[in-house]
Amino acid sequence: MDTRKLTKVLREAGVMNGMIISGSSAEALECFNALENPLEKEKILEKIKAYKIEKAVEAVTLNADKIEQSADVVFKTSAEYRAVPVTKDGLKVNDPELAMKNGKGKKVVLWDFGAKANIRRELLKRGVDVETVACDTKAEDILKRNPDGIMLSNGPGDPADNVEIIENIKKISESGIPVFGICLGHQMLALARGAKTSKLKYGHRGGNQPVKQLSTGRVYISSQNHGYAVNNESLPKGAFLSFVNTNDGTCEGITYTDIPAFSVQFHPEASGGPLDTNFLFDDFINLINDRNYFKNFKPEFERVDAISYFKSTIKETNGSKLCL
């Protein structure tokens, strides 16, 4: 297989469906033979193009509830790996009493769309009680639990496919209870508030993705794994870009001033990945204690992306006698 050729195709055309055929089974041999026949080959290509993942969220919900340890045990275990809470200044909080001070006595419902287990751990390390519910839980049932905050987890697939979940998130967002969304939770919260999402040409994968915080101008390194993004121009009134990807300028975070809610596209819970944005869990605790915490949020800095910048630079130098 010519992997360089494949890389060039993906670079130009973007992410697409594919099929890996290997071995000597009857099914594999049938596919190999079909590739030599134009009509049969076309049938295979149509099958690949038509392939679509369905009910992705339903297939992975309720995994994070397996962590039954108390907050104290989780903190102690995490401390052994130096994975204690990290402040905005990059300082690690090694004292559990200090780390849990503002979250003690608070309850957060973790709405599990395929949650990474470390989301639950990060909440526990800040002293809150965590109750996990499945993706198909109704808004009414969540509100009956009287949570102080609601965590919308990460998860797989196209966010727009989850129509019923989005309708329930809309009800939650109108309840006045503080909400924090990560990855898929970020996207579905945006859809519930009237924004739109679209598929990225390449997607963002890996633990080295740079994101710029528009309230401070500071760039953090983040962990990401997603193929869709919220469209910047579709944000409704009361929703502001809070983080952008510095490579392509796409939405990496939204802060809402009309409701007590915020969300990010990347993974502040790390594991794997950097701890740079771990402080966002502290922001969630602050929002729980003060629902006006983001009331006066303003993106003070411009959204700049490297792709547009270098395109304009290259265009300006076209035809010049510069030797690079």
Side-chain angles (χ1 to χ4, degrees), residues 65-305:
D65 64 337
K66 303 296 187 297
I67 304 171
E68 300 296 344
Q69 298 100 325
S70 67
D72 293 332
V73 172
V74 169
F75 195 101
K76 182 179 179 180
T77 304
S78 299
E80 293 175 1
Y81 297 94
R82 297 178 60 79
V84 294
V86 179
T87 68
K88 290 184 179 181
D89 298 323
L91 301 175
K92 292 191 174 184
V93 183
N94 294 296
D95 183 349
E97 288 190 13
L98 183 60
M100 299 182 188
K101 180 180 177 182
N102 295 325
K104 283 286 187 182
K106 305 296 182 181
K107 180 170 69 174
V108 169
V109 166
L110 172 56
W111 206 344
D112 188 350
F113 309 126
K116 287 174 66 178
N118 221 42
I119 292 177
R120 184 184 180 94
R121 292 192 190 100
E122 290 301 331
L123 293 170
L124 288 171
K125 281 187 277 186
R126 286 160 176 82
V128 300
D129 294 322
V130 181
E131 292 184 7
T132 306
V133 297
C135 67
D136 58 355
T137 305
K138 305 299 182 186
E140 293 79 9
D141 295 328
I142 291 176
L143 295 175
K144 285 178 183 177
R145 294 170 179 261
N146 295 316
D148 297 291
I150 298 171
M151 182 87 235
L152 309 180
S153 87
N154 62 295
D158 184 344
D161 287 344
N162 304 293
V163 177
E164 190 172 345
I165 295 175
I166 292 167
E167 282 300 312
N168 279 290
I169 291 176
K170 184 176 181 180
K171 295 175 184 177
I172 289 293
S173 69
E174 294 170 349
S175 70
I177 296 174
V179 175
F180 179 20
I182 292 176
C183 198
L184 182 68
H186 151 82
Q187 296 165 352
M188 292 197 293
L189 176 60
L191 289 169
R193 300 304 295 172
K196 297 184 184 303
T197 57
S198 59
K199 188 172 184 177
L200 294 169
K201 186 174 182 179
Y202 304 115
H204 299 148
R205 318 286 178 184
N208 59 347
Q209 296 285 333
V211 295
K212 180 178 181 179
Q213 188 177 34
L214 298 186
S215 61
T216 64
R218 185 171 178 177
V219 174
Y220 296 92
I221 300 302
S222 69
S223 172
Q224 300 189 24
N225 186 21
H226 62 100
Y228 293 82
V230 178
N231 297 344
N232 295 337
E233 65 279 1
S234 72
L235 297 190
K237 185 178 179 181
F240 296 90
L241 277 175
S242 58
F243 288 89
V244 294
N245 188 295
T246 60
N247 287 331
D248 58 17
T250 53
C251 175
E252 293 284 2
I254 301 172
T255 295
Y256 299 86
T257 57
D258 57 338
I259 59 171
F262 72 112
S263 62
V264 291
Q265 181 65 75
F266 50 89
H267 290 275
E269 75 280 1
S271 290
L275 299 170
D276 298 37
T277 56
N278 192 250
F279 66 85
L280 291 169
F281 286 96
D282 295 316
D283 280 347
F284 185 35
I285 302 302
N286 291 333
L287 183 62
I288 288 173
N289 289 314
D290 177 11
R291 296 187 180 187
N292 292 317
Y293 186 68
F294 289 120
K295 196 74 173 178
N296 299 315
F297 175 86
K298 288 183 180 179
E300 302 284 355
F301 291 80
E302 290 185 22
R303 177 182 69 87
V304 178
D305 63 273

